[in-house]
């Protein structure tokens, strides 16, 4: 039988061990529960439609901008600089006005055509945007104070780099969304999947450090995250490609005043039969396989999300180390700030936009028609005559056809 001192020491060591285990798993539980909560909210917003997704992207952009700008204020002790806090937000409004005005002109042409006040804003949109920016630029010059010149120019540059990182990239996210919700969901979900699976593989199997900027990142987590993300992207794409809601380009219907996702799916989202490579035939036992062409593109997207996407996180880690901060903010317990969760997403948005414009996007008849509808009647008639002559020359129309 244990003596009292031995029993006390045994119980004390057991309590210490339990506390150690709980402390080790505490952060995992917090991150896991909040991750599930965020994913649930994300699915709810998807259900609510494209417009809510756009509002979500805009909200995240503003919050990320706020977190990075606040770090600049704190690092450079620039709280007392005249006008500068107001100027930072003014520049954010100017750049958003420019980018989203371009989006309105591209995708809401028929809606704009019906409202004279909007026609003026769209016609002179770039000039107005430039004038607004010049106003902010002049205000900055007028705010320069002796003995603070260098600090003020530091913050001026900080603001513009932050605008480049946040506003430009969020604009590309929305551009991708207009191509079809699947181009929005698969890349974003692939980054989320990679983040989660790399963390899980690293937590349970991680032994070999990956990069000094992030000591907790391991090769085991990096490799496990890569294979998991590619498989996830391939399967997730299969389910999304079956529904028009996800694959059709997002278009605004001015008659119903809402976004529409109805179309005849393109070849990317029509099932096709592919021959299995000889090496895989022996393993799988299949000679052919049926799948959507988009699933092949999903492999490229998932590969980028898992191999290159994490470097956005490494870049953010280097940024935080440079300024000796742990997180961009403490908005989400166990996760840090919003920017800590979306540091890889902005890099992914640029890749998807470049990928679509390089390998996917062709002439868009719907967009071209919208541009024709806002022309003057004589211009529309000129286009019609030119197109008719071209079709007659190609033999598509008969010369005797009257129009």
């Amino acid at each position: 039988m244990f003596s009292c001192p031995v029993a006390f020491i045994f119980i004390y060591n057991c309590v210490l061990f339990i506390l150690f285990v709980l402390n080790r798993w505490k952060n995992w539980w917090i991150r896991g529960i909040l991750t599930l909560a965020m994913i649930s909210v994300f699915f709810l917003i998807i259900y609510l439609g494209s417009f809510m997704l756009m509002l979500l992207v805009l909200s995240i952009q503003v919050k990320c901008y706020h977190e990075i700008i606040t770090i600049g204020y704190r690092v450079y002790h620039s709280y007392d600089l005249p006008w500068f806090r107001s100027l930072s937000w003014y520049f954010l409004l100017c750049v958003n006005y420019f980018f989203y005005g371009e989006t309105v002109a591209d995708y809401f042409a028929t809606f704009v055509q019906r409202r004279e006040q909007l026609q003026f804003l769209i016609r002179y949109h770039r000039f107005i945007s430039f004038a607004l920016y010049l106003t902010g630029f002049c205000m900055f010059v007028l705010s320069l104070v002796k003995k603070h010149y260098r600090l003020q120019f530091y913050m001026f540059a900080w603001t513009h780099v932050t605008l480049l990182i946040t506003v430009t990239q969020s604009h590309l996210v929305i551009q991708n969304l207009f191509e079809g919700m699947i181009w929005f969901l698969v890349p974003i979900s692939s980054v989320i999947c990679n983040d989660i699976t790399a963390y899980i593989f690293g937590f349970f199997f991680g032994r070999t450090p990956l990069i000094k900027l992030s000591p907790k990142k391991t090769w085991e987590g990096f490799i496990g995250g890569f294979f998991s993300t590619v498989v996830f992207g391939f399967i997730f794409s299969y389910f999304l490609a079956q529904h028009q809601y996800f694959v059709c380009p997002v278009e605004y219907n001015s008659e119903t005043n809402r976004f529409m996702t109805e179309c005849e799916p393109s070849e990317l989202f029509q099932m096709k039969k592919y021959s299995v490579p000889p090496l895989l035939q022996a393993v799988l036992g299949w000679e052919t396989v049926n799948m959507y062409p988009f699933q092949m593109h999903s492999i490229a997207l998932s590969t980028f999300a898992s191999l290159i996407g994490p470097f956005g996180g490494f870049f953010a880690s280097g940024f935080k180390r440079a300024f000796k901060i742990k997180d961009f903010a403490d908005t989400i317990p166990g996760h840090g700030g919003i920017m800590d969760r979306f540091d890889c997403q902005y890099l992914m948005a640029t890749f998807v936009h470049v990928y679509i414009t390089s390998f996917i996007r062709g002439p868009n008849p719907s967009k071209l028609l919208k541009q024709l509808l806002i022309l003057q009647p004589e211009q529309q008639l000129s286009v019609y005559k030119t197109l008719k002559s071209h079709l007659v020359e190609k033999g598509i129309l008969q010369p005797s056809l009257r129009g």
Side-chain angles (χ1 to χ4, degrees), residues 3 9-10 51 73 78 91 113 121 173-174 191 201 241 263 310 389:
S3 63
I9 293 172
F10 176 76
F51 183 70
Y73 293 148
S78 57
F91 281 123
Q113 180 71 10
L121 292 175
V173 171
I174 292 179
V191 172
F201 275 94
C263 67
S389 299

Side-chain angles (χ1 to χ4, degrees), residues 74-101:
R74 185 168 62 249
V75 169
Y76 290 113
H77 306 288
S78 57
Y79 290 101
D80 298 325
L81 289 179
W83 298 3
F84 209 88
R85 185 180 290 270
S86 299
L87 279 174
S88 298
W89 290 100
Y90 176 81
F91 281 123
L92 176 66
L93 290 174
C94 288
V95 177
N96 269 311
Y97 176 81
F98 170 72
F99 279 116
Y100 288 98

